[in-house]
Amino acid sequence: MGQNLSRFFFGVFFGPAVILLHECGHYFASAALGLTAHFHYAEVTTDYSLPVSSHALQLVTVAGPAVEALLAIGGFFWLWRLRRGRLEAPATCWDWLATFLVLCAGRWLRGLLRLSGSDEAFLSASFGFPEWLFPCLLAPAALALLIAAVRLHPRGNRLAPFGSAVLGAGLGVILWLKVFGPRILP
């Protein structure tokens, strides 16, 4: 019970941290392209008053999801390296840190809901494809990555730890978006 509670509370802090890292990707891509950007709690606004090429706009947009992709894929390979020889051993704190990184891929599961307005939907449209295409293509990849990460944890002890981690991250995201974020980074 205590370990699940610690995963829950770690998730509360990890969820907002991933949002900030995602937005840092947009911000630093804007800055690297010489664009003026303003960092907010849940978005980066970039000044496009001067003409900007569609490629620059695509680079700024892809930078946020790319950060999460690097975290998720890097976390998976780290978790695999940590767990490959000890699949039945209890997960350590390092194993769970790597697992939380893999959980960044959970963002792409929204593609199954075919929600518009995401970075991935914008990129899909900017390349001339339907908005739903990129999100729908990323969702199965995310699902495969998440299932593989779950399978790297001991059998019989997966539901409660993952449930507490996901619930904590979800609560952290809600608290960040609705309470703390607007006050800290308006």
Side-chain angles (χ1 to χ4, degrees):
M1 176 67 174
Q3 288 181 340
N4 290 336
L5 196 57
S6 65
R7 287 182 196 102
F8 176 84
F9 285 115
F10 184 73
V12 168
F13 293 103
F14 188 79
V18 171
I19 291 173
L20 291 173
L21 290 171
H22 174 102
E23 297 308 329
C24 281
H26 292 306
Y27 181 83
F28 289 122
S30 296
L33 293 170
L35 302 170
T36 304
H38 303 284
F39 198 92
H40 303 286
Y41 68 97
E43 68 177 359
V44 169
T45 55
T46 304
D47 181 16
Y48 294 114
S49 59
L50 299 174
V52 177
S53 73
S54 63
H55 296 297
L57 187 57
Q58 289 168 340
L59 283 173
V60 169
T61 304
V62 80
V67 168
E68 286 181 282
L70 290 173
L71 290 173
I73 294 167
F76 177 77
F77 283 112
W78 185 27
L79 178 65
W80 176 78
R81 187 170 170 259
L82 290 170
R83 300 283 305 161
R84 68 179 173 208
R86 50 187 199 81
L87 291 176
E88 294 306 317
T92 66
C93 290
W94 292 113
D95 296 336
W96 274 101
L97 178 59
T99 301
F100 268 96
L101 292 173
V102 177
L103 290 177
C104 290
R107 163 193 168 86
W108 301 320
L109 293 178
R110 297 181 313 170
L112 297 173
L113 302 173
R114 293 182 57 161
L115 300 172
S116 63
S118 68
D119 292 335
E120 294 83 358
F122 172 80
L123 286 169
S124 190
S126 73
F127 283 108
F129 298 113
E131 274 192 5
W132 54 265
L133 183 62
F134 286 2
C136 284
L137 290 175
L138 287 170
L143 197 56
L145 194 63
L146 293 168
I147 289 170
V150 168
R151 292 177 56 92
L152 286 171
H153 284 267
R155 287 179 188 213
N157 191 20
R158 293 176 178 160
L159 183 60
F162 275 90
S164 60
V166 169
L167 285 174
L171 177 63
V173 166
I174 291 168
L175 288 172
W176 178 254
L177 294 176
K178 301 293 182 187
V179 179
F180 298 111
R183 289 179 176 83
I184 297 172
L185 290 169

